[in-house]
Amino acid sequence: MENFTFYSPTLFAFGDREERRVGELTRRFGGTKALLVTGGGSVKRNGAYDAVTASLKEAGIPFAELSGVQANPRSGKVYEGIALCRAEGADFVLALGGGSVIDTAKAIAMGAGYDGDFWDFFTGKASISSVLPVGVVLTIAAAGSEGSDSCVITLEEGNLKWGCPKSDLIRPRFSVLNPRYTCSLPPYQTASGATDMIAHICERYFTNTADVEVTDRLSEALMKTIVSAAPKALENPGDYAARAELMWAGMLAHNNSCGVGRVQDWASHQIEHELSAFYDCAHGAGLAVVMPAWMEYVLPHNVARFAQFAVRVWDCDMDFAHPELTAKEGIARFRAFLKSMGMPATLSEIGAKAEDIPAMTAHRAEKPNGFPFGNFVKINPEDMTAILHLAE
């Protein structure tokens, strides 16, 4: 296990009706006027908006509003939010929604007090040194941004979907997690969220670092929990227990408690960012297409780790004479699980075209340090191209 520093300062208020504490928590963490960031109309239909705004009013916290954040969040909303924050004198950013809303709120919090372009933080031109405090009321269990030190935004000029350098400064000060608000999610969104959670864990699980048994076991337990809970939530959307398991698993999948002490990979996410940049597909759906193809491509690098994944997560029987068969069976069961949730398995199912693969690879190359990427196996342009072709 490698040396590490782990700092996770977020206060989590978990459970039914905990959103009633939002006003009090906003004030506790220094907010005197909030910018409330939301997506579409779902938070008004499920009652979350009314509950949160009532709590803010009861606590005497005035607020301005920024609505209309889209999936695969765009820079335009970030710029709009920064301008609104400054015009309204907001000193706290409150995200009500899922990962896209939270990431937008984080980017606004970075940019509101910065004289330059917030995108400077994404290119490395500037370093994050101070941010407005961010609070979260989560309504979608998926991205894990409610506890993470990262965010991803698409710059509309150039269609660049990039993540900012990780910083504990952008971890939310508090996150309110009421599983009840996820019960109204459409099945596809629930399944995409579960896929994203497993991908976040796999990006950490597939490592070349030896002797990391404790985080291996944490990762495996979380993956098995998601595999158990997701079908229950899909069969019975109002199953509070299953929704609660997924909501907490999503946070633990991405707050890095499963990633400490090991070199992480993140190749599949980098490839998927090009898919969702080109086709605006759901992030989890893109990962459902990319990650099994990546596994198939890199399997020869460490057959034993994939066999471990197969046995411990997918309950495969170990073939000690032919461990590669066990490893392949694990990948096959992973694919079958994704399909059982209604997730796509091929590029064509998300509207992607094989003829666009060279353009996606070239687009990736425009990013600073675009190639190689990944750490389990270094991915060069020819590797990315091969993985995408495996996903056809």
Side-chain angles (χ1 to χ4, degrees):
M1 190 182 299
E2 299 194 348
N3 293 4
F4 65 86
T5 298
F6 180 59
Y7 178 62
S8 182
T10 306
L11 180 153
F12 294 99
F14 187 99
D16 201 8
R17 303 183 74 185
E18 285 296 299
E19 68 282 354
R20 295 178 299 173
R21 300 176 58 189
V22 167
E24 164 237 321
L25 290 171
T26 299
R27 189 168 294 284
R28 183 194 302 188
F29 288 97
T32 63
K33 184 172 186 179
L35 175 67
L36 179 62
V37 183
T38 62
S42 63
V43 295
K44 293 189 176 179
R45 291 191 297 271
N46 66 18
Y49 175 86
D50 287 343
V52 167
T53 54
S55 181
L56 289 171
K57 290 171 184 175
E58 184 179 351
I61 305 288
F63 58 92
E65 298 186 52
L66 176 72
S67 61
V69 174
Q70 300 172 263
N72 298 312
R74 307 330 196 252
S75 57
K77 278 294 173 185
V78 177
Y79 290 122
E80 187 180 341
I82 290 170
L84 189 55
C85 235
R86 292 170 177 169
E88 294 287 341
D91 56 11
F92 196 94
V93 186
L94 180 61
L96 171 58
S100 295
V101 171
I102 301 168
D103 282 6
T104 299
K106 287 178 176 179
I108 292 168
M110 292 179 218
Y114 176 61
D115 290 337
D117 188 332
F118 88 93
W119 196 250
D120 292 346
F121 299 120
F122 288 71
T123 63
K125 181 179 177 181
S127 298
I128 302 168
S129 59
S130 66
V131 300
L132 293 182
V134 173
V136 169
V137 182
L138 184 66
T139 62
I140 302 172
S145 193
E146 66 275 8
S148 79
D149 59 356
S150 59
C151 78
V152 177
I153 299 291
T154 297
L155 182 68
E156 289 163 291
E157 183 181 351
N159 196 29
L160 305 176
K161 185 176 181 180
W162 291 4
C164 74
K166 296 179 184 297
S167 170
D168 286 324
L169 290 172
I170 64 170
R171 289 187 191 265
R173 303 298 176 88
F174 71 80
S175 288
V176 173
L177 281 60
N178 181 352
R180 193 76 63 194
Y181 288 131
T182 67
C183 292
S184 59
L185 291 174
Y188 193 82
Q189 204 165 16
T190 297
S192 293
T195 304
D196 196 11
M197 295 176 203
I198 294 175
H200 285 156
I201 300 165
C202 285
E203 298 285 20
R204 296 169 166 95
Y205 186 75
F206 289 99
T207 181
N208 295 319
T209 309
D211 303 317
V212 285
E213 183 77 5
V214 65
T215 43
D216 273 357
R217 293 293 189 176
L218 287 171
S219 297
E220 291 154 3
L222 280 172
M223 285 189 278
K224 286 187 74 69
T225 298
I226 296 162
V227 169
S228 171
K232 295 174 184 176
L234 289 168
E235 182 178 356
N236 178 11
D239 186 336
Y240 181 88
R243 294 291 185 177
E245 298 282 14
L246 289 173
M247 183 167 260
W248 193 239
M251 194 289 297
L252 290 172
H254 201 39
N255 81 331
N256 209 36
S257 55
C258 291
V260 293
R262 58 170 69 207
V263 176
Q264 302 174 22
D265 187 56
W266 296 100
S268 294
H269 268 71
Q270 297 305 318
I271 296 171
E272 193 290 322
H273 284 174
E274 298 307 324
L275 284 180
S276 48
F278 269 62
Y279 304 107
D280 200 26
C281 60
H283 179 53
L287 287 167
V289 172
V290 169
M291 186 149 255
W294 171 86
M295 289 180 173
E296 182 180 340
Y297 187 78
V298 304
L299 185 152
H301 172 70
N302 191 336
V303 171
R305 176 139 290 262
F306 280 99
Q308 177 178 297
F309 173 69
V311 171
R312 293 185 182 179
V313 179
W314 301 104
D315 299 322
C316 297
D317 293 326
M318 184 64 192
D319 186 336
F320 291 98
H322 303 95
E324 70 280 2
L325 297 180
T326 303
K328 289 178 180 178
E329 177 62 20
I331 297 171
R333 292 192 187 187
F334 180 34
R335 276 196 168 105
F337 170 73
L338 296 173
K339 184 177 181 180
S340 74
M341 294 197 298
M343 284 287 92
T346 63
L347 291 178
S348 62
E349 290 178 64
I350 58 171
K353 302 174 184 177
E355 54 263 37
D356 289 340
I357 290 174
M360 284 189 276
T361 303
H363 196 247
R364 166 71 200 186
E366 295 176 18
K367 186 174 182 178
N369 305 315
F371 287 101
F373 59 84
N375 290 304
F376 187 64
V377 172
K378 292 294 183 185
I379 302 299
N380 288 296
E382 61 271 21
D383 303 305
M384 178 173 166
T385 297
I387 290 166
L388 287 170
H389 279 299
L390 281 174
E392 285 185 67

